[in-house]
Each structure stands twice: as structure tokens, then as C-alpha cells.
């Protein structure tokens, strides 16, 4: 659906932002301040991406065991 597509685009955008933050050498709070992003929003997307990564990793492990 269109909502799912929009969510996937947001996930991709936030994955890039999180990578930028981690490679910036700044703390998350300093990077968020610089980018004018709420730190709570950053951490929410980071948590969602981590959960998605863990879910897909588990699924891949399950397929490898078959």
C-alpha cells in the first residue's frame, strides 16, 4: 500500500541519517542539535531500524537452518 511505501522511504532516509550521525564524530545529542532533529525522534527511528534488522537477521538465520 501507499502507507507501507512511505514508511519504507522513511526507513531508508533514517538509516542514512543514523549513518551520518555515527560517522560524524559528534554525540547523538550534538548531531541532532546541529541537524535540528529532536533526539527522541532520532532514537525512535534507531530503535525501529534495529528491531527490523534483528527481525530480518533472525528470519535469514531460520531460512539458513532449513
Amino acid at each position: 500500500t501507499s502507507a507501507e511505501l512511505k514508511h519504507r522511504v522513511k526507513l531508508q532516509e533514517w538509516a542514512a541519517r543514523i549513518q551520518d550521525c555515527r560517522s560524524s564524530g559528534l554525540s547523538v545529542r550534538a548531531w541532532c542539535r546541529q541537524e535540528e532533529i529532536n533526539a527522541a525522534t532520532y532514537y525512535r527511528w534507531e530503535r525501529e531500524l534495529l528491531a527490523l534488522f534483528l527481525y530480518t537477521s533472525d528470519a535469514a538465520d531460520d531460512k539458513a537452518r532449513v
Side-chain angles (χ1 to χ4, degrees):
T1 67
S2 119
E4 290 169 340
L5 183 58
K6 286 179 184 178
H7 189 70
R8 284 186 198 159
V9 169
K10 284 279 192 192
L11 285 170
Q12 290 175 338
E13 290 172 358
W14 274 98
R17 287 179 178 162
I18 290 166
Q19 185 61 39
D20 288 346
C21 175
R22 290 183 174 179
S23 63
S24 72
L26 298 171
S27 69
V28 170
R29 290 193 186 279
W31 184 86
C32 286
R33 211 172 14 253
Q34 176 182 298
E35 298 296 317
E36 298 181 354
I37 294 172
N38 184 305
T41 302
Y42 172 93
Y43 285 118
R44 181 182 84 73
W45 282 101
E46 184 180 56
R47 203 169 38 250
E48 184 166 344
L49 283 161
L50 179 60
L52 180 64
F53 174 77
L54 292 174
Y55 174 78
T56 56
S57 293
D58 286 347
D61 288 347
D62 289 346
K63 286 181 182 178
R65 287 186 202 128
V66 174

